[in-house]
Amino acid sequence: MRWHAENMRRLLVLMSDAIFAGLDAKAPPEPWEDRVLALARWCREAVLAHRDAARLIAGLATTEANTYRFADAMIQALLDAGFPPRTAAWANWTVFYLILGITQEQQAESTETAGLAAAFDDAEFPALRAASAYITAGTFDERFEFALGMQVTVLKAELGRTVPASGDGD
């Protein structure tokens, strides 16, 4: 460890950053929505390719080139769409948190916990009871695509609002 990283935390940061190696942000798709979707999907695939990666990344503040490359590409897609810098930066975090959350849940799933809520039948929680068939329905990929689509829909609506002339006053 000492030859490559001065301490365990630094080693974990380098491991976290290595997960994001390989992003080719030079030829992003258009329009901006397709770019956001492509980047989010790429990020999720990169995290899924490494056991417990979502948990590792969620516990670190990684300030390395590969991590920055992903964030820069996502924020640039949003800036190119016309979002103010704050909205672009915070939307990047929102998408990234979605990726980490659902991927961490997927990577932690065990056969013991799969399907536990599918037959929720407790009258004390009527909303859960009413939606019990859908709580764990679908695959993680389907639920990810649903949530990602919702985020893009909200971003489109936000873009449609009047943006202050200063470009950063939202």
Side-chain angles (χ1 to χ4, degrees), residues 9-141:
R9 181 149 185 85
R10 179 74 180 138
L11 178 62
L12 294 173
V13 165
L14 293 172
M15 288 170 54
S16 173
D17 190 60
I19 292 165
F20 296 107
L23 173 64
D24 181 10
K26 290 184 176 54
E30 293 293 335
W32 71 267
E33 301 98 313
D34 291 343
R35 237 191 301 176
V36 167
L37 292 170
L39 286 165
R41 290 172 182 145
W42 176 87
C43 180
R44 179 165 154 70
E45 288 172 16
V47 176
L48 277 171
H50 303 277
R51 192 185 98 204
D52 297 326
R55 189 172 65 169
L56 170 70
I57 295 165
L60 294 170
T62 303
T63 55
E64 299 295 322
N66 293 323
T67 305
Y68 281 163
R69 189 171 296 109
F70 170 75
D72 188 69
M74 181 66 78
I75 291 170
Q76 189 63 59
L78 296 163
L79 291 173
D80 289 349
F83 288 101
R86 186 184 88 173
T87 302
W90 288 9
N92 168 64
W93 281 120
T94 302
V95 171
F96 192 64
Y97 293 153
L98 166 66
I99 294 163
L100 288 183
I102 198 162
T103 306
Q104 188 171 2
E105 182 181 338
Q106 183 175 355
Q107 290 180 327
E109 184 182 51
S110 71
T111 55
E112 296 167 5
T113 60
L116 285 181
F120 197 93
D121 194 21
D122 190 333
E124 185 178 352
F125 304 103
L128 284 172
R129 186 177 189 178
S132 66
Y134 305 101
I135 299 295
T136 58
T139 66
F140 283 101
D141 289 340

Side-chain angles (χ1 to χ4, degrees), residues 83-84 87 153-163 170:
F83 288 101
T87 302
T153 297
V154 169
L155 285 168
K156 286 180 185 178
E158 180 67 21
L159 190 59
R161 293 179 359 150
T162 305
V163 179
D170 69 327

